[in-house]
Amino acid sequence: MQLYCNYTIMQLHKNVIECKLSNRRLFQVISADCLRRKYLSQSAVNKSNNVAKKFIYRPQVNEFLNHLIGRNTFFVLVEKDAIDFVFRYLQKEKENSMKVLVIPDVHLKPDMFEQAASLMRREIAERAVCLMDIPDDWGKEYEIELYTKTFDAAISFAKEYPDTYFCYGNHDLSYVWGMMESGYSSYAAGVVRQKLKELEDVLAKADNPPQYIQRIDNVIFCHGGLLDYFVRETVPARERNNLGEVINRINALNSDKMWNDASPIWFRPQYSKGKRYGEETILQVVGHTPVEKIERRGNVLSCDVFSTYRDGRPIGTREFLLLDTCTWEYTGIAG
């Protein structure tokens, strides 16, 4: 169906494509909600005579869009003469997508790395991402051997899969920055700092150091989540719409900016009404906040399903997230 004489609209289900060709104005991505507000509102009708009023006032169209909004459906607006070219481009993007295995918050569970390695050997994913929080768990402050064993498992995994992306968590950095918090073990502090340095050295050999935020395609991985407010506070205005520049700026920050509830190592989007960065353009894969199952809300995909209650009972399903970074389709997979 045509909304303007030089545009055709087509549905691209559960997908968002970075508009790499946007400078040629061949296509743009738009959410179902945005589509309704932009083209089907009374104000849109008043502003433009090019919109077909018979299309706008059909109740079933609004009902249909409500359904699509509920399913997080996106559309692509494409110039008529470029349809074939754009579809070939989108198909190529899909073929180039990557399957990623996500290791969520570890918290002294060395078996998680052994299970993840077993899955990677089955070649179900091309790369792994670890959301860290490797040390600390309820009542285990004095179990130094467990701290050592867990970090050694992480180091072995990094040696076997050196292209694995590691994302610092608040518990990892609390030892680096000397910031005591819940679960912090003064008894194990020296071991944590030593072993974390060993892990960093292994990854440095692959030119792949841990970061606060890692990126694959239009998916970002971080421990807590990326708040739009935090980006506005730390990134110059001219760079805020450039995802690569945003990530580079934030990854260069120190503890003064990062040790607060709004930063990507602490933010909990599951409990906040604050605007997430890139709500209509990127997917955020996060841990930090325990959830009962892997679930997506808006552009945030939560996967901390290995954490436990104080008495050791599991909170979640103990599955690893398997994600397609192009289609954003995902599933949980047991180790």
Side-chain angles (χ1 to χ4, degrees):
M1 62 183 72
Q2 297 179 18
L3 297 181
Y4 288 94
C5 61
N6 64 329
Y7 280 93
T8 300
I9 187 166
M10 292 164 293
Q11 184 177 349
L12 184 65
H13 183 55
K14 291 184 179 178
N15 196 5
V16 181
I17 299 296
E18 182 180 12
C19 295
K20 297 178 180 176
L21 305 178
S22 59
N23 60 324
R24 299 176 63 181
R25 305 189 68 81
L26 294 181
F27 72 94
Q28 68 179 104
V29 176
I30 188 168
S31 69
D33 185 42
C34 240
L35 177 74
R36 182 173 63 181
R37 286 187 278 108
K38 186 171 183 179
Y39 297 114
L40 304 186
S41 66
Q42 181 62 51
S43 59
V45 178
N46 295 337
K47 290 179 181 179
S48 175
N49 294 324
N50 293 331
V51 181
K53 293 186 179 181
K54 64 179 181 180
F55 176 82
I56 294 167
Y57 290 123
R58 287 178 180 174
Q60 62 265 36
V61 173
N62 268 310
E63 183 179 345
F64 175 64
L65 286 174
N66 282 333
H67 170 71
L68 295 182
I69 291 167
R71 297 180 64 186
N72 291 319
T73 300
F74 284 77
F75 290 85
V76 182
L77 293 176
V78 186
E79 286 191 35
K80 286 197 301 182
D81 294 341
I83 291 175
D84 290 341
F85 174 79
V86 170
F87 265 101
R88 287 197 301 271
Y89 170 76
L90 296 179
Q91 183 62 34
K92 183 178 179 181
E93 287 288 300
K94 183 175 182 180
E95 291 171 355
N96 291 337
S97 66
M98 179 180 289
K99 291 287 181 62
V100 174
L101 184 75
V102 180
I103 306 168
D105 304 41
V106 178
H107 292 302
L108 299 181
K109 300 178 188 67
D111 290 349
M112 288 177 64
F113 289 106
E114 296 165 12
Q115 293 169 16
S118 177
L119 292 172
M120 291 297 290
R121 293 183 196 117
R122 288 164 47 189
E123 299 183 349
I124 65 168
E126 295 144 279
R127 171 172 280 175
V129 175
C130 180
L131 302 180
M132 295 189 69
D133 260 10
I134 296 173
D136 305 336
D137 202 4
W138 302 113
K140 296 181 179 178
E141 293 88 349
Y142 300 104
E143 298 185 28
I144 305 306
E145 289 185 4
L146 184 57
Y147 278 82
T148 301
K149 183 178 180 181
T150 306
F151 270 99
D152 284 345
I155 292 166
S156 295
F157 187 89
K159 288 179 177 178
E160 187 172 356
Y161 300 100
D163 62 345
T164 298
Y165 282 159
F166 282 77
C167 304
Y168 286 119
N170 53 300
H171 282 265
D172 312 293
L173 292 169
S174 69
Y175 291 92
V176 177
W177 294 336
M179 303 286 192
M180 295 185 67
E181 57 150 319
S182 62
Y184 184 96
S185 173
S186 300
Y187 193 62
V191 170
V192 172
R193 285 192 287 268
Q194 175 190 339
K195 291 296 182 178
L196 185 58
K197 180 64 165 56
E198 289 180 25
L199 175 62
E200 291 170 338
D201 288 345
V202 168
L203 294 168
K205 292 178 181 178
D207 194 24
N208 182 31
Q211 305 283 3
Y212 306 132
I213 303 175
Q214 303 279 13
R215 176 190 182 184
I216 302 175
D217 297 326
N218 269 5
V219 181
I220 66 169
F221 303 83
C222 58
H223 186 68
L226 187 55
L227 186 63
D228 189 73
Y229 166 79
F230 187 81
V231 173
R232 288 187 279 110
E233 287 293 305
T234 58
V235 178
R238 66 181 181 278
E239 298 176 0
R240 291 173 194 160
N241 292 326
N242 185 319
L243 181 57
E245 291 297 329
V246 167
I247 293 173
N248 289 339
R249 286 279 183 176
I250 293 175
N251 281 340
L253 297 176
N254 58 24
S255 59
D256 292 341
K257 293 289 186 180
M258 292 297 294
W259 199 258
N260 68 80
D261 290 343
S263 87
I265 64 170
W266 274 106
F267 179 49
R268 298 186 188 272
Q270 300 86 353
Y271 302 132
S272 171
K273 294 182 180 179
K275 181 181 179 182
R276 289 77 164 149
Y277 178 73
E279 287 186 344
E280 294 189 355
T281 56
I282 66 172
L283 180 67
Q284 299 190 26
V285 176
V286 304
H288 188 48
T289 301
V291 290
E292 293 181 354
K293 62 181 181 180
I294 298 170
E295 60 182 357
R296 176 181 170 185
R297 294 183 181 180
N299 74 324
V300 174
L301 183 53
S302 302
C303 62
D304 179 8
V305 292
F306 280 83
S307 290
T308 64
Y309 295 104
R310 287 179 181 268
D311 61 6
R313 289 181 298 119
I315 295 174
T317 56
R318 297 196 173 189
E319 295 176 305
F320 295 93
L321 169 65
L322 185 63
L323 172 70
D324 187 309
T325 59
C326 179
T327 66
W328 296 3
E329 294 176 351
Y330 67 91
T331 188
I333 183 168

